[in-house]
């Protein structure tokens, strides 16, 4: 088995490479310069060189706000780029696993989104990722698409690391109450990707326990105190999203249902709180 991981310098790609190393699974992760998703001939060259059994697309244009003013770029990388890679996988007879997002949904639901629920993205990033799903399945109907949400625990900035910094540096922070989702530890997602290597179709993966961003911030603070980390912040103020106008609108409820993942793998995603505790211990051990 030989995995080609795109986006190897990104949050998920990096952790997935480390996990492959630990498990003795062969992998290659050429840089964006060597394998730009928007350059089909560069992708073919890499495929000939690597001869992968599986191609895992962790690369994407992930700047949700930036995508509003750079829609063309977001579509070129996220949608056309994903199709280029799916076609490359088909050419070389490799399986194709593509990572997608909860932002393909409009957030108007009140119960968790199933894999076959209607996708109506409400921002440019979500639209580019939804287009990607359609192009990928059109180019490679046996592909596996893993939708996930609210990643944390890598080396790049994410919501939890931003809250953690805010709690350490500020007396007071404001956090929105009207966005609810399922945080996902990037290490758990990397394990899930390996569990789904030979699966076809769309599968959701996220850690368990829907939570609002506000409650998540409160729980981050509790966990920091529990682990004896310094906390400067004395007040986490609940606010509505309209108080924080961002370029891109976020879905207010993007909770993914993960029963299909459990049916396929026999595994239950663990609670995000447990995963967050592990992440904080890891941060303490390495800082
Ligand atoms: N982060 C989240 O909360 C979240 C939530 C749901 C779904 N997802 C999805 O999960 C996947 C992984 O996300 P992530 O957070 O790990 O992303 P990330 O940290 O932003 O990393 C993205 C990677 O893609 C690479 N890349 C960008 N444009 C490229 C191009 N044209 N050709 C080749 N590589 C390119 C980047 O290269 P450079 O290192 O050179 O910039 C980077 O290594 C993405 O599909 C994302 O949409 C993420």
């Amino acid at each position: 088995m030989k995995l080609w991981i795109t986006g190897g310098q990104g949050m998920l790609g990096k952790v997935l490479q480390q996990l492959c190393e630990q498990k003795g699974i062969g992998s290659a992760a050429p840089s964006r310069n060597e394998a730009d998703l928007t350059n089909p001939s560069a992708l073919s060259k890499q495929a000939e060189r690597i001869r992968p059994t599986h191609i895992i697309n962790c690369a994407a244009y992930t700047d949700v706000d930036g995508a509003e003013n750079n829609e063309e770029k977001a579509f070129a990388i996220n949608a056309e780029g994903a199709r280029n890679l799916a076609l490359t996988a088909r050419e070389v007879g490799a399986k194709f696993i593509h990572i997608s997002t909860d932002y393909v949904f409009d957030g108007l639901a009140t119960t968790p989104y199933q894999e076959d629920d209607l996708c109506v993205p409400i921002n440019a990033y979500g639209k580019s990722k939804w287009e990607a799903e359609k192009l990928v399945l059109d180019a490679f109907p046996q592909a596996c698409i893993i939708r996930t949400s609210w990643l944390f625990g890598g080396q790049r900035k994410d919501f939890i690391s931003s809250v953690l910094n805010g709690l350490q540096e500020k007396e007071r922070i404001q956090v929105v109450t009207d966005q609810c989702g399922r945080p996902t530890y990037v290490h758990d997602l990397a394990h899930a990707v390996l569990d789904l290597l030979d699966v076809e179709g769309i599968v959701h993966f996220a850690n368990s326990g829907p939570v609002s961003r506000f409650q998540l911030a409160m729980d981050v603070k509790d966990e920091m105190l529990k682990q004896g980390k310094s906390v400067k912040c004395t007040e986490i103020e609940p606010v509505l999203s309209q108080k924080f106008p961002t370029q891109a609108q976020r879905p207010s409820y993007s909770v993914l249902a993960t029963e299909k993942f459990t049916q396929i793998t026999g595994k239950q995603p663990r609670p995000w709180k447990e995963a967050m505790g592990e992440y904080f211990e890891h941060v303490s051990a390495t800082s």
Side-chain angles (χ1 to χ4, degrees):
M1 183 155 70
K2 177 89 184 271
L3 311 189
W4 170 7
I5 300 165
T6 65
Q9 289 308 304
M11 179 148 61
L12 174 61
K14 210 168 209 142
V15 171
L16 188 55
Q17 280 178 79
Q18 289 162 354
L19 183 62
C20 286
E21 231 169 84
Q22 278 166 26
K23 287 185 167 275
I25 298 171
S27 71
S31 69
R32 178 190 191 148
N33 282 345
E34 296 165 312
D36 192 312
L37 293 195
T38 62
N39 182 345
S41 65
L43 299 179
S44 294
K45 257 189 220 153
Q46 290 297 331
E48 272 169 38
R49 184 181 71 81
I50 299 168
R51 301 195 170 276
T53 54
H54 298 74
I55 300 181
I56 303 170
N57 186 21
C58 304
Y61 178 95
T62 55
D63 179 352
V64 176
D65 289 314
E68 294 300 308
N69 290 327
N70 292 292
E71 200 159 340
E72 244 176 68
K73 187 173 177 189
F75 269 75
I77 298 171
N78 290 351
E80 306 292 338
R83 174 175 51 194
N84 293 339
L85 199 60
L87 289 171
T88 307
R90 210 177 68 181
E91 265 166 38
V92 296
K95 298 202 168 165
F96 188 59
I97 295 97
H98 173 76
I99 311 298
S100 191
T101 169
D102 54 332
Y103 281 14
V104 296
F105 295 117
D106 61 12
L108 298 177
T110 50
T111 54
Y113 283 102
Q114 306 290 331
E115 281 78 356
D116 54 1
D117 278 346
L118 186 67
C119 292
V120 186
I122 59 171
N123 57 41
Y125 165 77
K127 284 176 191 162
S128 70
K129 296 291 288 184
W130 169 226
E131 187 63 19
E133 292 192 12
K134 291 184 284 185
L135 293 180
V136 162
L137 288 177
D138 194 42
F140 195 151
Q142 297 79 22
C144 177
I145 294 179
I146 304 173
R147 289 194 194 125
T148 188
S149 57
W150 294 24
L151 294 189
F152 71 93
Q155 283 168 5
R156 293 194 174 192
K157 197 173 139 199
D158 57 60
F159 179 75
I160 289 186
S161 66
S162 302
V163 167
L164 200 143
N165 290 338
L167 293 172
Q168 281 177 329
E169 288 162 14
K170 297 180 186 162
E171 297 271 352
R172 178 169 163 267
I173 62 167
Q174 295 179 316
V175 186
V176 299
T177 52
D178 53 353
Q179 286 172 31
C180 183
R182 283 175 68 166
T184 305
Y185 189 30
V186 68
H187 289 258
D188 290 9
L189 174 60
H191 280 276
V193 169
L194 296 187
D195 285 336
L196 295 171
L197 281 182
D198 296 323
V199 169
E200 295 178 7
I202 301 174
V203 185
H204 291 171
F205 180 82
N207 282 117
S208 67
V211 68
S212 72
R213 292 208 189 262
F214 171 72
Q215 187 56 50
L216 178 53
M218 300 283 281
D219 290 342
V220 168
K221 186 175 175 186
D222 285 350
E223 186 63 35
M224 287 171 75
L225 293 172
K226 203 170 106 190
Q227 293 200 16
K229 290 188 191 294
S230 77
V231 174
K232 182 172 180 186
C233 178
T234 50
E235 189 192 356
I236 302 177
E237 188 192 345
V239 292
L240 292 174
S241 296
Q242 64 195 41
K243 188 135 190 223
F244 279 120
T246 46
Q247 294 232 290
Q249 198 192 342
R250 266 75 174 167
S252 54
Y253 179 92
S254 60
V255 176
L256 298 174
T258 54
E259 286 79 10
K260 184 172 174 186
F261 172 79
T262 299
Q263 273 165 19
I264 293 171
T265 62
K267 296 180 181 174
Q268 293 277 0
R270 64 176 162 163
W272 62 264
K273 264 194 205 181
E274 184 186 320
M276 185 175 74
E278 189 180 300
Y279 163 54
F280 281 6
E281 277 165 24
H282 175 74
V283 172
S284 305
T286 53
S287 59

